[in-house]
Every structure is written in C-alpha cells, then in structure tokens.
C-alpha cells in the first residue's frame, strides 16, 4: 500500500512535482465515481459498460493541465453560415430566444455561427477523447455563473410598468454582457480557449432552457422563463 500512489503516478505518467499528489488524488476520486457508475443499474440512461484507456488519459490531461496548461486543438474553421444552414435552426429555441429580444437577422446569423461551430468542435473533442463529458459539464456550470451575474445585475431594475420594448432592450444588454464574460472563460484551466467556444456554448445552453435543470437554464429576455412556457404568446408580442 505505501507504494501504491507512486506506482499509479508512474503508470499514468504523472511526473514528480509540487502538485503531483493533488493531481493523483483527483484522478483517483474521478475513478471511484466512474466505478460507482459502472456498478449502477437503477438508471438505465446512465449505465456504462467500461472506461477506455483513452478516457482515463484524457482525464489525466485535464487534471494535470490545470497546473501546467495545455491548449485544446481547434479543428473547425469559422466561416459565415449559408442561408440553408441558418434556416435549419429557425425552429430551435436558440433562435427563438434571440427573437424574443428583437435581434435583427444579421446578428442572429452571427451568434448562430458561434453556436454551430462550438457545437461541432465540442463533439469532435469528445469523439477523439480530448475532453471528458464531466469537464464539459463543469464548464457549462461556469458559463451559467457568468450569465447569472449579468442577468441579475440588469433585471434588478425591471418594473411592472416597463414596456415590451424596454424589456427587449434589457435582454439585449444581458446577451451582450454574457457574451463578453463567457468569451474569456477557459474550457481547460490554464489554457487559452477560442472566444467562440464560450459564446457558442452559452447559446447551446439557451437552446435547452425549456428542458434543462435549473442550474443550466439560461435566457436573454428578462421574462424568458415565462416565454418558454408560452412560446406562441411570446411570438405574437
């Protein structure tokens, strides 16, 4: 037992450093959680058969990367979306949320570009084991925190007698402030993250505002929760 940690560190390629033990302890904690999930049979949606070596190494890189820094590879090349690509999102909540605050078509297209490519890049990272679902979930929690700060600071001045136009203006302020904040949020601590990953991922959360857990619900209009419950009425306004 006294040699267990040093043997594990050697097998995982964790070199001796001031933070080696902390990194190893975090990986062991993650592994314990994965072992519990592998044994779990109560919720079929969360059942897993195994953990691959690639996933383990990915988690190791995430943990050690917090101390040494390691940028994620960008494989997507940004370009303006075609009208057909934009039209494919017209019925999605991510677009509806922007319509609720009165964004013009050119700005909707700009934000959709970030959403489209962030979604594709994240899928690629997951597929090639460059990042784990657990870290992405943590990241989304950090983005939600940045949004909530912007949202609460601007909605505290909302009054019942405010017009819909005034509410839309505040919603646009919330969107702009959130985009500024999340653009600098690092996906892998200690590394550089392309700004459109953060902004596009925030729009990804807005696309799930009607179904997500409360700590992941996100919107731009001050009354976005009510709008999600009655979308048809909101569109008529």
């Amino acid at each position: 037992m006294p040699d267990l940690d040093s043997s594990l560190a050697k097998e995982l390629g964790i070199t001796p450093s001031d933070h080696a033990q902390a990194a190893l302890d975090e990986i062991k904690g993650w592994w314990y959680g994965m072992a519990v999930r592998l044994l779990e049979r109560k919720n079929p949606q969360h059942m897993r058969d195994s953990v691959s070596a690639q996933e383990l190494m990915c988690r190791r890189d995430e943990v050690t990367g917090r101390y040494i820094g390691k940028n994620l590879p960008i494989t997507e090349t940004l370009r303006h979306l075609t009208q057909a690509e934009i039209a494919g999102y017209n019925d999605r909540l991510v677009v509806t949320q922007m319509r609720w605050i009165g964004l013009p078509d050119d700005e909707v297209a700009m934000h959709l570009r970030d959403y489209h490519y962030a979604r594709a890049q994240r899928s690629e990272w997951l597929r090639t084991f460059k990042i784990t679902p657990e870290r992405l979930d943590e990241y989304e929690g950090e983005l939600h925190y940045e949004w909530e700060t912007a949202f609460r600071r601007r909605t505290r001045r909302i009054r019942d007698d405010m017009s819909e136009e005034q509410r839309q203006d505040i919603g646009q302020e919330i969107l702009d402030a959130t985009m500024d904040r999340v653009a600098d949020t690092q996906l892998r601590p200690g590394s550089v993250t392309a700004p459109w990953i953060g902004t596009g991922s925030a729009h990804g959360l807005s696309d799930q505002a009607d179904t997500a857990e409360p700590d992941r619900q996100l919107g731009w209009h001050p009354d976005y929760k009510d709008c999600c419950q009655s979308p048809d009425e909101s569109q008529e306004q």
Side-chain angles (χ1 to χ4, degrees):
M1 289 299 293
D3 299 326
L4 179 60
D5 279 2
S6 60
S7 297
L8 281 174
K10 182 178 179 180
E11 290 296 326
L12 291 171
I14 299 176
T15 57
S17 68
D18 293 339
H19 305 290
Q21 187 61 51
L24 184 60
D25 289 343
E26 188 169 341
I27 294 171
K28 286 162 63 178
W30 172 81
W31 183 261
Y32 174 80
M34 295 302 298
V36 171
R37 290 179 63 183
L38 289 172
L39 295 171
E40 180 63 63
R41 291 293 181 269
K42 293 181 181 179
N43 190 341
Q45 293 181 344
H46 295 156
M47 288 176 59
R48 297 180 54 144
D49 295 326
S50 64
V51 179
S52 70
Q54 284 180 303
E55 188 172 1
L56 173 59
M57 293 300 101
C58 179
R59 190 57 179 173
R60 176 204 61 185
D61 291 345
E62 289 177 341
V63 173
T64 57
R66 293 175 185 163
Y67 304 108
I68 62 175
K70 185 176 180 182
N71 295 339
L72 288 163
I74 297 295
T75 57
E76 293 293 322
T77 301
L78 294 184
R79 60 169 176 79
H80 291 295
L81 300 183
T82 65
Q83 289 302 313
E85 288 173 323
I86 293 173
Y89 290 113
N90 280 344
D91 295 332
R92 298 287 292 268
L93 185 55
V94 62
V95 172
T96 303
Q97 289 246 39
M98 290 186 273
R99 297 298 187 198
W100 285 339
I101 60 172
L103 281 193
D105 290 346
D106 57 345
E107 286 196 44
V108 171
M110 177 188 70
H111 289 294
L112 273 181
R113 179 188 60 186
D114 289 358
Y115 168 71
H116 178 89
Y117 286 107
R119 188 181 179 192
Q121 186 64 77
R122 287 167 45 139
S123 295
E124 172 67 11
W125 284 335
L126 286 171
R127 187 182 66 81
T128 57
F129 294 99
K130 295 298 189 297
I131 199 164
T132 58
E134 288 78 14
R135 175 53 198 155
L136 277 180
D137 183 64
E138 294 170 359
Y139 179 63
E140 288 182 346
E142 293 162 10
L143 298 181
H144 187 274
Y145 172 82
E146 298 297 342
W147 162 82
E148 187 173 26
T149 301
F151 186 83
R152 296 197 180 282
R153 285 180 178 175
R154 285 156 182 81
T155 55
R156 66 188 175 197
R157 65 175 187 266
I158 290 288
R159 303 186 310 275
D160 291 340
D161 61 349
M162 276 187 168
S163 66
E164 177 58 22
E165 183 178 359
Q166 290 173 309
R167 291 172 183 270
Q168 288 183 353
D169 288 343
I170 291 176
Q172 292 184 19
E173 290 180 20
I174 293 169
L175 171 62
D176 291 342
T178 301
M179 295 296 102
D180 289 342
R181 296 177 69 93
V182 301
D184 295 328
T185 302
Q186 299 170 342
L187 180 49
R188 177 172 285 171
S191 65
V192 176
T193 303
W196 52 270
I197 295 294
T199 56
S201 296
H203 281 298
L205 291 177
S206 77
D207 194 43
Q208 306 170 40
D210 56 341
T211 58
E213 295 296 323
D215 63 349
R216 293 295 185 274
Q217 291 176 359
L218 176 157
W220 317 122
H221 193 285
D223 306 316
Y224 80 95
K225 288 186 178 181
D226 294 334
C227 294
C228 285
Q229 293 176 358
S230 305
D232 294 336
E233 294 180 10
S234 300
Q235 290 175 355
E236 291 176 1
Q237 293 177 358

